[in-house]
Amino acid sequence: MVRDRLKTALLAIAAFGLVAGLLLWTAGLGDMATLVWSAGVIPVLAALVVEIIRSLARREVGLDIVAALSMSAALVFGETLAAAVVALMYSGGTFLESFAQGRAQREMSALLSRVSRTATLHRDGQLTQVPLDDIVPGDLLLIRQGEVAPVDGTVASGNAMMDQSALTGESLPVRLSQGATVMSGATNAGEAFDLRATHRAADSTYAGIVRLVRAAQNSRAPMARLADRYSLLFLGVTVALATAAWWFTGDPIRAVAVLVVATPCPLILAVPVALVAGLSRAARFGVLIKGAKPLEAMARISTLIVDKTGTLTDGRPRIVSIHATGGMPEDQVLYFAAALDQLSQHPVAQAVVAAARAQGAALPVPADVVETPGEGVTGTVDGRAVVVGGTGFVAARSGGAPWDMAAQEPGAVLVAVAVDGRPAGWLVMADSLRAGIGDLLTGLRHQGIARIVLATGDRHAVAMSVTQGLPLDAVHADLTPDQKVLLVLSERKNGPVMMVGDGVNDAPALAAADVGVAMGARGAAASAEAADVVLLVDRLDRLPPGLAVARGARHIALESVIAGIGLSVMGMIAAAFGYLTPVQGALLQEVIDVAVILNALRALAIDTGQPAETV
């Protein structure tokens, strides 16, 4: 904040000095104009010298030295108007860069102030306002209409209508039923509801996103460091050309003109503006990139390694097919199974219940329910004895097992159902591929991904069966976490590697990859911490727009640098041959710098082919 105010003050001083001097000069007061121009330049030059000294103390040589040389030389040789233009150019460029970065980070910075620091807690039959840090898992909170969920939790009463656009980019609110997970940072777009806290505020999704945003805002990109390394070369070329112009013509003004055209170089302005703008643009698509370095690395990715469960697949069992026997309709088989499974917390049971409710089934409350963990459930539904579970469990209680003859696909699970002591049918459950995953992978190839590899800890037969028909170059199954790391390292021979995963077992491989991408919505905290990029919504289709933004931002940065340096060099040569005066050269460089910054800001509107609000 202080640095921004200083930049604003220096810009105001430089602008006032230049304008006031011009007014005095047009009034015929040339000596007074010279003094005023000098007075406007000296504070900017002093601040610049302090910044150069700090950079040298960090062993960094920047192109700010050229700006200092040009202002100093212009003052020494009496070109005070040129010095004033350079001072305005430099202070204006740094101010515009700061403004551009602030504009680019607005979407991410908005996260920091969304959630109130207090919450409404149900306590002893009353509603009490408590600080967020006092909330512990198990607390019951009231979330009123328009309020933001302060911590992660589950819907404890009725249904909730949540606007998750700030986190995921989805424009439409999502209806969540009782027991569904609510992410902190989402806004209640419906009626008030009770939220059962599952995490402390410091451990919630929102707090993790804020930490990632802060890390992203403090990062530097490899291209920016590349600019620092080449700044010494450009500085040498500039000084050599200025010296040569003075040496061969005997006119020091030629040297001054060369120096003012060369400063400040677009190299130090375009790269950070374009990449930070890219970070902001990616965030609009629910792709949180932890800094400029991974953004630049994403633009060069040629190999993609993906996990299976939770990445290519939903990571949740779904009903693939229903088989009825004994004359009972398929929908009745699902009805009895789902009604009984309502009282089980097993993931397969919850998937069965969700499938029945999706079909509009009104499920009664079962009675006399007894669950044998890991095996099955028995109970009474509508006065009829029902058994649901594994084939062996149900067969032992039904006197028949037609499902024993059922063909089972690799990786599929059979859920047997018996009613009144007789086999009623079975459900085939499997972790199915995400919708449209084949087209998505094909689209990634069109974006420059030359090699796509599957890496999973699941059995080989399951991996081959699930991924059949997908455009994969290789399938590696039965992998341990350390073997996934070795796979990432071995694939580097084909180019920079991106790894996508969501589980704790993926965290080492995510850290080893050039770019690690975590499925952040439901993925493990360890994978989100190890990753360079977090997809804030549990959908892999956020990856293509993220890649498009990364490649676009890098292209815009390089485009700005090449065009800016090219124009600067042409101007330097023209100045060395006497075609540009110092004032004309300063004005020309002013135009070049403003142009490259405005061009870099195009990264805020990179076209990914998909509107951000509907991705």
Side-chain angles (χ1 to χ4, degrees):
M1 182 65 69
V2 174
R3 289 176 65 100
D4 289 344
R5 289 177 179 173
L6 177 60
K7 291 177 180 178
T8 303
L10 291 176
L11 175 60
I13 291 171
F16 178 79
L18 178 60
V19 173
L22 287 173
L23 292 176
L24 291 170
W25 182 77
T26 55
L29 302 174
D31 292 339
M32 287 293 295
T34 298
L35 289 175
V36 171
W37 283 329
S38 299
V41 171
I42 290 173
V44 178
L45 180 58
L48 179 55
V49 170
V50 171
E51 186 64 32
I52 291 172
I53 293 173
R54 289 176 177 172
S55 298
L56 293 175
R58 297 192 301 266
R59 297 183 179 181
E60 297 176 358
V61 179
L63 291 168
D64 291 345
I65 294 176
V66 180
L69 286 175
S70 64
M71 278 187 272
S72 301
L75 288 176
V76 169
F77 293 105
E79 292 286 341
T80 51
L81 176 56
V85 174
V86 172
L88 179 63
M89 173 180 59
Y90 177 79
S91 58
T94 56
F95 174 83
L96 187 55
E97 179 187 11
S98 177
F99 172 80
Q101 290 181 350
R103 157 78 193 280
Q105 295 178 15
R106 190 172 302 161
E107 286 85 358
M108 293 195 298
S109 298
L111 290 171
L112 304 178
S113 57
R114 281 180 51 79
V115 175
S116 171
R117 299 311 304 167
T118 62
T120 305
L121 175 67
H122 288 277
R123 177 179 289 171
D124 300 327
Q126 296 182 339
L127 295 175
T128 306
Q129 290 293 122
V130 298
L132 286 191
D133 293 338
D134 291 350
I135 298 174
V136 298
D139 281 349
L140 189 64
L141 308 177
L142 174 66
I143 310 298
R144 300 180 179 88
Q145 187 175 32
E147 289 185 343
V148 176
V151 297
D152 290 348
T154 58
V155 179
S157 64
N159 296 317
M161 183 69 73
M162 303 304 294
D163 178 1
Q164 302 179 140
S165 58
L167 300 175
T168 67
E170 293 182 274
S171 59
L172 298 178
V174 178
R175 180 174 294 279
L176 303 176
S177 59
Q178 187 168 344
T181 299
V182 177
M183 290 190 294
S184 56
T187 302
N188 182 11
E191 299 298 325
F193 71 96
D194 290 334
L195 175 76
R196 181 73 65 182
T198 57
H199 293 79
R200 291 181 177 273
D203 301 324
S204 291
T205 300
Y206 182 82
I209 292 173
V210 169
R211 285 194 294 271
L212 297 181
V213 169
R214 284 176 173 155
Q217 292 174 335
N218 293 327
S219 71
R220 297 183 72 205
M223 288 180 66
R225 290 194 293 270
L226 183 66
D228 295 338
R229 290 199 300 269
Y230 280 95
S231 63
L232 187 59
L233 174 61
F234 190 84
L235 174 61
V237 171
T238 301
V239 172
L241 189 56
T243 303
W246 187 359
W247 178 270
F248 287 106
T249 65
D251 184 4
I253 304 303
R254 296 275 186 99
V256 175
V258 171
L259 289 173
V260 297
V261 172
T263 181
C265 179
L267 192 62
I268 62 175
L269 297 175
V271 172
V273 171
L275 295 185
V276 173
L279 293 178
S280 175
R281 180 61 173 166
R284 293 286 303 276
F285 291 89
V287 181
L288 184 58
I289 304 174
K290 292 185 181 180
K293 178 179 178 180
L295 178 75
E296 200 273 335
M298 283 181 69
R300 299 180 293 106
I301 292 299
S302 60
T303 298
L304 173 66
I305 300 177
V306 291
D307 178 45
K308 180 182 73 68
T309 306
T311 304
L312 287 184
T313 66
D314 287 313
R316 292 167 290 196
R318 292 187 177 184
I319 296 177
V320 176
S321 60
I322 302 176
H323 301 268
T325 186
M328 181 173 288
E330 292 180 359
D331 59 343
Q332 283 293 97
V333 174
L334 177 61
Y335 170 82
F336 282 114
L340 189 57
D341 274 342
Q342 289 179 99
L343 273 63
S344 174
Q345 291 298 316
H346 194 281
V348 172
Q350 294 301 304
V352 172
V353 174
R357 286 177 174 165
Q359 293 184 8
L363 301 178
V365 178
D368 306 321
V369 177
V370 177
E371 181 172 8
T372 303
E375 295 189 40
V377 187
T378 63
T380 303
V381 177
D382 292 340
R384 304 180 70 174
V386 180
V387 183
V388 180
T391 55
F393 178 82
V394 178
R397 291 160 177 77
S398 63
W403 40 75
D404 288 344
M405 304 301 294
Q408 185 172 343
E409 294 292 333
V413 174
L414 294 186
V415 177
V417 182
V419 178
D420 294 332
R422 293 190 300 274
W426 66 91
L427 314 175
V428 180
M429 310 287 293
D431 182 12
S432 57
L433 288 172
R434 294 176 182 270
I437 194 66
D439 293 338
L440 189 148
L441 294 180
T442 300
L444 289 174
R445 288 196 183 279
H446 293 158
Q447 287 186 278
I449 303 296
R451 183 171 170 81
I452 304 177
V453 177
L454 176 71
T456 179
D458 213 337
R459 301 189 312 276
H460 188 268
V462 174
M464 294 301 295
S465 174
V466 171
T467 61
Q468 186 175 7
L470 293 182
L472 299 173
D473 295 288
V475 175
H476 298 271
D478 298 304
L479 297 181
T480 60
D482 59 327
Q483 289 174 329
K484 287 187 177 182
V485 172
L486 291 176
L487 177 62
V488 168
L489 298 178
S490 67
E491 285 292 339
R492 279 221 177 105
K493 66 180 183 294
N494 298 311
V497 175
M498 173 185 284
M499 169 74 189
V500 184
D502 75 327
V504 173
N505 62 327
D506 296 319
L510 294 177
D514 295 281
V515 177
V517 180
M519 307 288 287
R522 292 192 302 116
S527 63
E529 285 294 324
D532 303 295
V533 179
V534 179
L535 305 183
L536 297 180
V537 60
D538 185 35
R539 284 163 47 186
L540 195 61
D541 63 1
R542 297 303 167 100
L543 195 56
L547 284 170
V549 168
R551 296 187 193 281
R554 185 173 186 271
H555 175 78
I556 288 172
L558 288 173
E559 177 184 76
S560 299
V561 166
I562 293 170
I565 289 181
L567 291 172
S568 294
V569 170
M570 292 171 60
M572 290 162 60
I573 294 173
F577 281 95
Y579 293 108
L580 290 176
T581 66
V583 173
Q584 292 171 337
L587 292 174
L588 173 63
Q589 188 59 54
E590 174 84 7
V591 172
I592 294 173
D593 290 332
V594 171
V596 297
I597 291 177
L598 293 177
N599 184 66
L601 281 173
R602 291 193 300 113
L604 287 169
I606 292 172
D607 183 15
T608 66
Q610 304 175 53
E613 66 274 9
T614 60
V615 171

